[in-house]
Amino acid sequence: MREPDGTVRPAYADFAELLDDLSIESLVTKQAAAEELFRRLGITFAVYAEGGSTERLIPFDLIPRILAQSEWELVQRGCVQRVKAINIFLYDIYHDQEIIKAGLVPPEFVLLNPAYRPEMHGVEPPNKVYAHIAGIDLVRTGESDFFVLEDNVRTPSGVSYVLENREIMMRLFPDAFAGQSISPVGNYPERLLENLRAVAPGGAESPVVVLLTPGRYNSAYFEHVFLAEQMGVELVEGGDLFVRDGYVWMRTTEGPVKVDVIYRRVDDTFMDPLAFNPQSALGIPGLLSVIRSGRVALANALGTGVADDKAMYCYVPRMIEFYLGEHAILNNVLTYMLRDPKQRQHVFNNLHNLVVKEVQGSGGYGMLIGPASTAEEREAYKLRVMQNPENYIAQPTLALSTAPTLIDGEIVPRHVDLRPFVLSGKETSVIPGGLTRVALVKDSLVVNSSQGGGTKDTWVLERG
C-alpha cells in the first residue's frame, strides 16, 4: 500500500483516505458483518486432513488488494500468453509432438507423466482448446516483477470467492465503489458460459451445458453449486448422466436430454470407470468413447494435467518461445529437479533456504518450507524424497509482497499471492483481478485456504 518512503501508492490513494476516516472499531464491526454474511451464504470449503467433511468458513480480509491499470495490463498479457502456449502444447503432445521432436521437452516428462492420457491421442477438441479455465498463481517480488508459482489447468477452483468477496465489499464500502472506477468481475459466469458454449461440438445453436461435481463432500462443492446457479445450468453428478447411441444424456423428469458440454470438476481417473478407475462411482461409463468421437466437449479436457505438473512448469518459457515466437512476459521461479542427482545434492545442502513440493501436489499439502522447518523435519523429508526423487521439485523462497490486513484489531502487513482466472473458447481472456490469497500468520508464506490462509477482494482500477 505504501512506497518505501512511507507515501501511499497512487492506486491506494482513495482507499487510504477512506480508511483514515474510519476507526479501527468500525473496521472490526464491518469484518464481523462480512463473516456473518459468509456464514449465512454458506461460503465454505472442506478440509480433507480433518476427514473430508469438516466445513470451514474461508477467512476473509476486508482491506482490498488494489492494482493500477498499468500493473494489471502486465499481468493480463502474461497470463494470456502463458495459457495460449499451454493450449498449443497440449494439442501438440496429443498430435504431432513437435516440441518433443525438437528436443525442447524430455519425452519421458510427457509420455511417462501420470497425467498423460494416451487415450486422447489424435482427438480434435473444438477450437483446439484443452484448458478452457485456467488459474495462474502469481507472486510479486518487486515493482514490475511478477513470478508464476504454478499453472492450474486441471480443475482450478476459487473463482466463487472472487465473486462473493466483491459482492460483500460493495455492501460494506459502497462509497469506495461510487468514488472510483473499479473493473467489474460479476460478469464472470456469463463469460464462462459463453466460452463453454463456444466449444460445443458441431456448433450447436443452443448447446446444453452441465457442471459435473463429485458431490457435496468435495472441498469446492460450494463453488460448484454457486457457478451452476450463476450460469443457469444443471449441476449434475455422475449418476445423472449416461451414454446411449454414441451421445451423453442427462436424466430429467421429462425424459433424457442430450448434453453438449460438460464443465467437469472431477479428476481424470474418475471420469469413466470403463476407461480408467473401474471403482469410480463419480463418472459416466462410456464417456471416453463419446469424447473421442467428438460428440461431447469436456472442459477442461482429459489429459490437461500434464501441463500443470510442477516439473513441466519449468518448460513453459520454452513453450512460449517455440509456439508463439515470444519471450515470456511473466518470470518463472528458478526450479530444481530432484530427479537429477547434482541438483538433488544442492537442494539437500541448502534445504533450510528452499521450498520443496510434490510435482502432482496441490493445496499446500506435502510441502516442506525450509526456513520454517526444524532440522528433524528436514532430515525426515530427505528420506521421503529419496524414496521417489522424480516426484519432487525445489524452489528458493521468494520475498513475497505484503498487503495491509486487519488482524486482531490492527492493520498489519501479511504476505499475499494472486490467482487470475483465464478463460479460453473462441478467444483467451482474463477476469480483471482474480483471487488474492493472504497468509494470516505473521511472516508465513503459506496462503492456501487448506493451510489456514484467507482471501481478499482484488481491485483493478480502470483508466480515469
Side-chain angles (χ1 to χ4, degrees):
M1 183 172 175
R2 296 181 182 276
E3 305 278 8
D5 64 4
T7 56
V8 175
R9 293 177 186 274
Y12 276 91
D14 286 4
F15 194 79
E17 274 185 36
L18 192 145
L19 278 183
D20 288 342
D21 293 337
L22 292 169
S23 64
I24 284 289
E25 290 73 23
S26 66
L27 283 175
V28 170
T29 303
K30 284 179 185 287
Q31 185 80 45
E35 284 170 11
E36 181 53 37
L37 281 167
F38 270 80
R39 192 171 288 107
R40 205 179 305 157
L41 291 165
I43 303 173
T44 61
F45 67 100
V47 184
Y48 291 129
E50 297 171 4
S53 59
T54 302
E55 293 290 320
R56 276 196 199 159
L57 285 177
I58 193 160
F60 170 70
D61 182 66
L62 50 64
I63 300 176
R65 188 213 195 128
I66 306 177
L67 297 170
Q69 182 66 29
S70 56
E71 297 171 306
W72 173 246
E73 278 179 356
L74 174 70
V75 170
Q76 180 174 251
R77 284 191 298 112
C79 288
V80 166
Q81 179 195 56
R82 204 167 175 98
V83 172
K84 277 184 176 175
I86 284 172
N87 266 314
I88 301 171
F89 165 74
L90 286 165
Y91 185 86
D92 183 27
I93 62 170
Y94 291 113
H95 289 81
D96 297 330
Q97 302 183 342
E98 297 291 348
I99 199 164
I100 295 175
K101 291 172 186 169
L104 294 176
V105 172
E108 66 274 17
F109 275 32
V110 174
L111 305 176
L112 300 181
N113 190 306
Y116 182 69
R117 296 277 165 242
E119 303 87 350
M120 290 296 288
H121 201 84
V123 175
E124 290 286 331
N127 299 343
K128 299 186 177 180
V129 175
Y130 282 77
H132 307 78
I133 304 102
I136 307 297
D137 289 350
L138 304 171
V139 292
R140 187 175 192 170
T141 61
E143 202 64 46
S144 352
D145 297 320
F146 288 90
F147 282 83
V148 177
L149 279 186
E150 58 187 61
D151 308 287
N152 300 281
V153 295
R154 288 180 228 208
T155 54
S157 64
V159 77
S160 58
Y161 303 127
V162 174
L163 305 181
E164 290 289 22
N165 288 355
R166 176 60 55 86
E167 191 72 28
I168 284 171
M169 288 296 285
M170 289 173 81
R171 291 191 199 187
L172 296 177
F173 294 103
D175 293 351
F177 287 88
Q180 55 188 336
S181 190
I182 299 164
S183 295
V185 295
N187 63 348
Y188 176 84
E190 290 86 3
R191 287 172 65 175
L192 173 57
L193 185 58
E194 190 181 309
N195 276 266
L196 293 173
R197 284 178 169 159
V199 297
E205 274 192 30
S206 301
V208 174
V209 177
V210 298
L211 195 159
L212 178 66
T213 176
R216 64 194 185 90
Y217 293 110
N218 185 266
S219 63
Y221 185 63
F222 162 78
E223 176 159 301
H224 306 166
V225 175
F226 176 86
L227 286 175
E229 282 180 353
Q230 294 290 313
M231 287 192 289
V233 304
E234 293 294 337
L235 181 71
V236 297
E237 295 184 27
D240 300 319
L241 303 178
F242 65 95
V243 170
R244 191 175 71 198
D245 302 331
Y247 292 93
V248 175
W249 303 82
M250 170 172 56
R251 293 183 171 89
T252 77
T253 52
E254 296 173 1
V257 171
K258 187 163 72 72
V259 173
D260 299 293
V261 182
I262 302 172
Y263 172 24
R264 54 97 176 214
R265 299 296 292 262
V266 174
D267 290 341
D268 280 12
T269 48
F270 300 103
M271 286 300 293
D272 182 348
L274 298 183
F276 307 120
N277 181 351
Q279 305 299 316
S280 172
L282 303 176
I284 306 108
L287 175 66
L288 179 64
S289 64
V290 187
I291 292 168
R292 286 184 56 82
S293 66
R295 289 173 171 169
V296 73
L298 200 64
N300 288 343
L302 294 173
T304 54
V306 178
D308 72 7
D309 179 299
K310 290 178 177 63
M312 192 59 71
Y313 155 93
C314 303
Y315 296 92
V316 176
R318 289 189 188 182
M319 293 176 202
I320 292 168
E321 291 191 18
F322 183 68
Y323 296 122
L324 304 178
E326 301 167 0
H327 289 299
I329 294 166
L330 299 171
N331 303 309
N332 258 30
V333 181
L334 174 66
T335 302
Y336 299 100
M337 302 280 196
L338 270 60
R339 65 179 67 214
D340 179 280
K342 282 187 180 175
Q343 294 188 40
R344 185 167 65 244
Q345 194 53 54
H346 173 80
V347 168
F348 282 178
N349 293 343
N350 296 277
L351 209 48
H352 57 290
N353 288 325
L354 298 168
V355 175
V356 188
K357 304 175 184 177
E358 296 177 353
V359 296
Q360 298 280 332
S362 65
Y365 294 108
M367 280 175 28
L368 177 82
I369 299 180
S373 65
T374 63
E376 291 78 13
E377 286 169 340
R378 292 194 290 275
E379 287 306 314
Y381 206 88
K382 282 183 192 176
L383 294 174
R384 188 170 152 188
V385 168
M386 287 311 297
Q387 290 173 2
N388 186 10
E390 289 84 2
N391 193 39
Y392 295 90
I393 55 104
Q395 296 171 330
T397 50
L398 300 177
L400 271 65
S401 60
T402 59
T405 306
L406 185 66
I407 305 277
D408 298 330
E410 270 189 287
I411 297 177
V412 290
R414 289 292 184 265
H415 291 295
V416 291
D417 79 350
L418 179 64
R419 176 179 288 182
F421 289 90
V422 187
L423 295 177
S424 300
K426 283 185 178 165
E427 294 178 352
T428 304
S429 62
V430 192
I431 303 307
L435 182 66
T436 289
R437 300 184 297 180
V438 53
L440 297 174
V441 177
K442 187 181 180 187
D443 298 329
S444 172
L445 300 173
V446 181
V447 297
N448 307 74
S449 52
S450 52
Q451 311 294 318
T455 70
K456 289 173 169 287
D457 193 10
T458 311
W459 294 1
V460 172
L461 302 184
E462 295 180 342
R463 283 194 183 85

